[in-house]
């Protein structure tokens, strides 16, 4: 039976949810997972060589920019740099990862780029969340072409400070019920974490105080320092900080199944969240170039170095054809749209 992807969303301030007797059956949706390892410095656009030739059916024919609509060191950046390493090894091409602190600027640079394979962008389902909630004005289905899927991002940890008055996910939910609006949770407004904790509110009949805190480094610092009560982060960083006594792990958010590399952490079943790294190209990219880019990505699941790198941050390497990748993205858009509508935040 096909798993139904579901997301939930939250208003910028704490959102009250209709009273429920307990946590309902979990819904599912595309996830974000955080990253453990620090990323290398980003290369600038000025370092890129001449563009590839459009429509040739071969790729790359010149230097390629891999755009990341977030800061260096974040989870999407780390996935992209591992993809860059793979592509350089597999094609002997010249690839440069380019980061944008402003997510929208990253999208705009892809939208305005030549559709010749010289510019790609890597992102997860937060792009859909931003569109559905009005944070970006253009429909990504029309503005971009999906030419591949490089990874299932896997699970992420839900963390709190070491002296928090709860030690498990169940204890956290009970505390949140008893203290409506008092527990602060880190979110990226209109992004995936906004949806995740919104689903927690809806499914578990709690009221949380959402505060803007989107980068992994900021989440770890603010939770460890007691400024924010609860946040999500990568499994690797969670283990490192837990071992150092800087935070506690309340559970693992993902498929609802135990995490093989961290069996000591309880899987969270109230909310199911899975997310994927999509490869985006300008909407006008022709079929021959799209197929050539996709063909270069085909060996990812068999590449030991790439698989090992993404497994360290909780992910799984994967490959889909151009047609399969586009359908996967379209299905995700449809499911997230349903959830957003049910929560009253879908403006589309």
């Amino acid at each position: 039976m096909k798993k139904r992807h579901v997301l939930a969303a939250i208003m910028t301030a704490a959102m009250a949810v209709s009273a429920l007797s307990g946590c309902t059956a979990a819904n599912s949706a595309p996830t974000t997972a955080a990253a453990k390892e620090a990323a290398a410095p980003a290369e600038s656009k000025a370092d890129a060589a001449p563009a590839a030739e459009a429509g040739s059916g071969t790729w790359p024919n010149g230097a390629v920019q891999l755009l990341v609509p977030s800061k260096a060191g974040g989870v999407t950046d780390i996935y992209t740099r591992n993809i860059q390493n793979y592509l350089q090894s597999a094609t002997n091409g010249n690839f440069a990862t380019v980061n944008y602190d402003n997510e929208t600027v990253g999208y705009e640079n892809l939208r305005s780029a030549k559709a010749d394979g010289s510019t790609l962008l890597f992102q997860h389902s937060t792009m859909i969340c931003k569109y559905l909630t009005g944070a970006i004005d253009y429909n990504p289905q029309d503005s971009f072409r999906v030419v591949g899927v490089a990874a299932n991002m896997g699970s992420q940890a839900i963390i709190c400070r070491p002296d928090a008055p709860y030690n498990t996910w169940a204890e956290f939910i009970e505390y949140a019920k008893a203290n409506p609006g008092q527990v602060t949770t880190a979110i990226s407004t209109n992004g995936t974490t906004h949806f995740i904790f919104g689903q927690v509110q809806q499914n578990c009949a709690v009221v949380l105080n959402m505060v803007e805190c989107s980068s992994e480094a900021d989440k770890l610092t603010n939770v460890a320092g007691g400024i924010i009560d609860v946040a999500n982060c990568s499994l690797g960083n969670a283990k490192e900080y837990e071992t150092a006594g800087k935070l506690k792990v309340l559970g693992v958010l993902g498929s609802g199944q135990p995490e093989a590399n961290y069996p000591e952490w309880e899987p969270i079943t109230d909310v199911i969240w899975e997310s994927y790294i999509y490869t985006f190209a300008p909407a006008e990219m022709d079929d021959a170039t799209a197929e050539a880019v996709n063909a270069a990505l085909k060996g990812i699941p068999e590449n030991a170095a790439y698989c090992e790198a993404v497994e360290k941050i909780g992910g799984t390497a994967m490959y889909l054809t151009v047609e399969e990748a586009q359908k996967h993205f379209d299905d995700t858009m449809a499911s997230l749209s349903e959830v957003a509508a049910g929560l009253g935040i879908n403006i589309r």
Side-chain angles (χ1 to χ4, degrees):
M1 178 177 178
K2 181 179 178 182
K3 180 167 68 176
R4 178 172 177 263
H5 293 284
V6 178
L7 289 154
I10 308 170
M11 307 311 296
T12 303
M15 178 182 73
V17 185
S18 56
L20 301 172
S21 58
C23 292
T24 63
N27 298 316
S28 64
T31 329
T32 36
K36 179 179 186 297
E37 302 170 351
E43 297 183 46
S44 69
K45 293 181 182 179
D47 297 330
E53 297 177 8
S56 64
T58 60
W59 185 83
N61 294 315
V64 179
Q65 295 182 47
L66 308 179
L67 309 187
V68 181
S70 57
K71 296 178 181 179
V75 61
T76 308
D77 175 69
I78 292 176
Y79 273 103
T80 303
R81 290 177 188 276
N82 281 303
I83 294 167
Q84 175 185 339
N85 291 339
Y86 164 76
L87 288 172
Q88 287 177 166
S89 175
T91 69
N92 293 316
N94 180 11
F95 297 85
T97 296
V98 182
N99 294 85
Y100 295 90
D101 290 353
N102 185 299
E103 183 178 338
T104 303
V105 174
Y107 298 153
E108 289 296 339
N109 274 273
L110 182 66
R111 289 218 302 165
S112 62
K114 293 181 179 180
D116 56 6
S118 62
T119 307
L120 303 173
L121 181 143
F122 293 88
Q123 181 61 297
H124 48 82
S125 56
T126 194
M127 180 187 291
I128 298 174
C129 300
K130 295 294 180 73
Y131 169 69
L132 294 173
T133 56
I136 58 175
D137 295 330
Y138 43 83
N139 187 337
Q141 291 173 302
D142 302 325
S143 300
F144 306 115
R145 181 169 188 178
V146 182
V147 296
V149 179
N152 178 329
M153 298 175 74
S155 302
Q156 53 194 297
I158 302 299
I159 57 174
C160 65
R161 68 183 189 277
D163 62 345
Y166 31 79
N167 296 301
T168 66
W169 177 256
E171 290 177 0
F172 161 66
I173 294 299
E174 288 305 312
Y175 182 89
K177 286 180 177 179
N179 298 273
Q182 299 302 306
V183 178
T184 55
T185 55
I187 66 161
S188 174
T189 304
N190 297 322
T192 51
T193 47
H194 204 170
F195 278 54
I196 288 171
F197 284 110
Q199 188 170 326
V200 171
Q201 288 194 129
Q202 184 185 55
N203 289 2
C204 297
V206 297
V207 179
L208 303 172
N209 181 14
M210 310 296 161
V211 296
E212 181 68 28
C213 182
S214 58
S215 77
E216 176 114 343
D218 289 345
K219 291 176 188 176
L220 291 165
T221 299
N222 287 323
V223 170
I227 299 171
I228 293 175
D229 294 319
V230 174
N232 67 312
C233 77
S234 66
L235 300 180
N237 272 338
K239 173 52 70 175
E240 181 179 333
Y241 273 63
E242 181 189 58
T243 301
K246 296 180 179 179
L247 55 75
K248 293 188 292 192
V249 175
L250 297 175
V252 176
L253 180 70
S255 66
Q257 299 300 314
E259 177 61 40
N261 294 325
Y262 302 94
E264 68 274 24
W265 294 339
E266 172 192 4
I268 295 169
T269 57
D270 300 323
V271 176
I272 304 300
W273 191 273
E274 294 183 293
S275 195
Y276 302 83
I277 292 290
Y278 294 101
T279 307
F280 295 95
E284 298 80 12
M285 177 176 281
D286 62 85
D287 291 344
T289 305
E291 292 292 347
V293 172
N294 183 272
L297 297 168
K298 189 173 183 178
I300 276 180
E302 286 73 49
N303 184 268
Y306 179 82
C307 291
E308 181 180 356
V310 301
E311 285 172 3
K312 286 181 179 178
I313 55 176
T316 303
M318 64 182 292
Y319 165 79
L320 294 179
T321 66
V322 172
E323 182 179 357
E324 290 168 342
Q326 186 65 62
K327 184 178 185 304
H328 191 286
F329 185 77
D330 292 344
D331 289 346
T332 299
M333 172 74 85
S335 65
L336 300 188
S337 181
E338 289 181 11
V339 175
L343 293 165
I345 60 161
N346 188 346
I347 70 168
R348 305 300 176 183

